[in-house]
Amino acid sequence: MLRGQLLKMKAILLVILQFTLILLLLAGTRGMNHLVLSSIFFGIAVLLMVWAIAAMKQSRLRIMPDPHREASLITTGPYRHIRHPMYTAVLCGGAGLLFAHFSFLRLCYWAALAVVLVLKLLYEEKMLTQKFKNYADYTKTTSRILPWIF
């Protein structure tokens, strides 16, 4: 019982940190210094997010890293290549915000967001491995965040 509560608190903390860092990136955006670069990253983020949501239509989309009890393993769309395309989209969108108004502090926020998302996906993968028998096989044919890289 205590272990379950600790895991739930960890999941909630990761989500809170994720959204806090996104808000910090948003709050520091004052202008568009690098409009083209920023727009490219935003465009990739939006396209990937829409594609991932469309692929998840048969499952249950959640912000929390714990899979819904009625969830099914999605292996189509961007999930064919990337296990966490929503996290990839968040990092791309965050990079767009970073390049819109670059500063060292904002780079630190983006790097912290990347660390939080990696911790969150490691937690999520542990839960998915417990829930789906074929998840371990799925991980052998896909990358976590960047296709064919990580």
Side-chain angles (χ1 to χ4, degrees):
M1 180 79 169
L2 180 61
R3 179 170 158 42
Q5 290 175 332
L6 288 174
L7 287 174
K8 186 171 183 162
M9 287 175 51
K10 179 180 179 179
I12 291 168
L13 177 63
L14 288 169
V15 171
I16 290 170
L17 286 171
Q18 174 186 339
F19 281 94
T20 300
L21 290 162
I22 291 169
L23 288 172
L24 286 169
L25 281 168
L26 279 168
T29 303
R30 292 188 189 93
M32 296 299 259
N33 294 345
H34 304 284
L35 184 60
V36 173
L37 188 58
S38 182
S39 297
I40 289 170
F41 277 95
F42 277 128
I44 291 169
V46 169
L47 290 173
L48 187 55
M49 197 170 290
V50 168
W51 191 22
I53 290 170
M56 289 185 70
K57 66 182 177 251
Q58 69 227 41
S59 190
R60 303 219 181 223
L61 181 65
R62 291 176 56 114
I63 294 172
M64 299 299 290
D66 303 304
H68 190 276
R69 67 182 182 284
E70 297 174 15
S72 57
L73 181 61
I74 306 300
T75 59
T76 59
Y79 294 91
R80 191 172 355 151
H81 307 287
I82 310 171
R83 294 194 297 272
H84 304 279
M86 296 295 282
Y87 296 168
T88 305
V90 168
L91 287 173
C92 282
L97 291 171
L98 173 64
F99 293 126
H101 188 80
F102 185 85
S103 73
F104 180 73
L105 180 60
R106 291 168 54 76
L107 176 62
C108 292
Y109 292 154
W110 185 86
L113 176 61
V115 169
V116 167
L117 289 177
V118 167
L119 292 173
K120 189 177 170 190
L121 75 80
L122 291 172
Y123 174 90
E124 186 173 343
E125 287 190 347
K126 184 177 179 182
M127 299 295 113
L128 291 169
T129 300
Q130 292 172 4
K131 181 165 180 66
F132 301 111
K133 295 177 205 170
N134 56 342
Y135 192 77
D137 292 332
Y138 170 65
T139 64
K140 294 174 186 172
T141 61
T142 55
S143 299
R144 283 186 167 129
I145 295 178
L146 295 172
W148 309 286
I149 298 172
F150 174 74

